[in-house]
Amino acid sequence: EAPKMIAVPVRVGGNVRSPRLVKRVEPEYPVLAKASRIKGAVRLEAILTEQGKVADLKLVSGHPLLVESAMNAARQWEYEPTYLNDTPARVILYITVNFTLQF
């Protein structure tokens, strides 16, 4: 019998601990952003599937030139599945993708 799934995504916090990141893909630094010396964080709200894959992303904050690259990278991130009462659950969490210039 397949495990039961929690229907509504649960938000990380309280009794729901942040899932552990197991695969992180670094964003490509956009050429225009690099040329303009733009750096900083892009904050995204993500919904993770029961398997720990990023299913949906929404922009919370970040420089417009960095957003697309951050989202492309974050879509490839993978997390350990989150369990709620021994049942795999969809999770809502915040992801921060940092852009720093190295010279």
Side-chain angles (χ1 to χ4, degrees), residues 61-75:
S61 64
H63 193 285
L65 287 178
L66 302 175
V67 170
E68 188 177 346
S69 180
M71 289 181 117
N72 288 340
R75 277 189 195 97

Side-chain angles (χ1 to χ4, degrees), residues 7-99:
V8 179
V10 293
R11 194 169 287 279
V12 167
N15 294 334
V16 182
R17 67 175 179 77
S18 275
R20 191 170 70 85
L21 185 63
V22 292
K23 178 185 170 198
R24 179 188 178 97
V25 174
E26 290 302 319
E28 281 188 38
Y29 218 115
V31 175
L32 189 57
K34 194 180 266 189
S36 304
R37 301 177 79 98
I38 292 166
K39 58 184 195 251
V42 176
R43 200 155 147 77
L44 306 168
E45 183 180 272
I47 295 182
L48 302 182
T49 67
E50 294 82 1
Q51 295 77 32
K53 304 255 194 249
V54 175
D56 190 28
L57 284 173
K58 287 192 195 98
L59 175 65
V60 176
S61 64
H63 193 285
L65 287 178
L66 302 175
V67 170
E68 188 177 346
S69 180
M71 289 181 117
N72 288 340
R75 277 189 195 97
Q76 300 172 66
W77 292 13
E78 293 176 16
Y79 292 80
E80 280 184 347
T82 300
Y83 289 86
L84 199 60
N85 304 325
D86 299 324
T87 305
R90 289 173 76 87
V91 179
I92 300 170
L93 80 158
Y94 290 102
I95 293 176
T96 302
V97 181
N98 291 304
F99 290 84

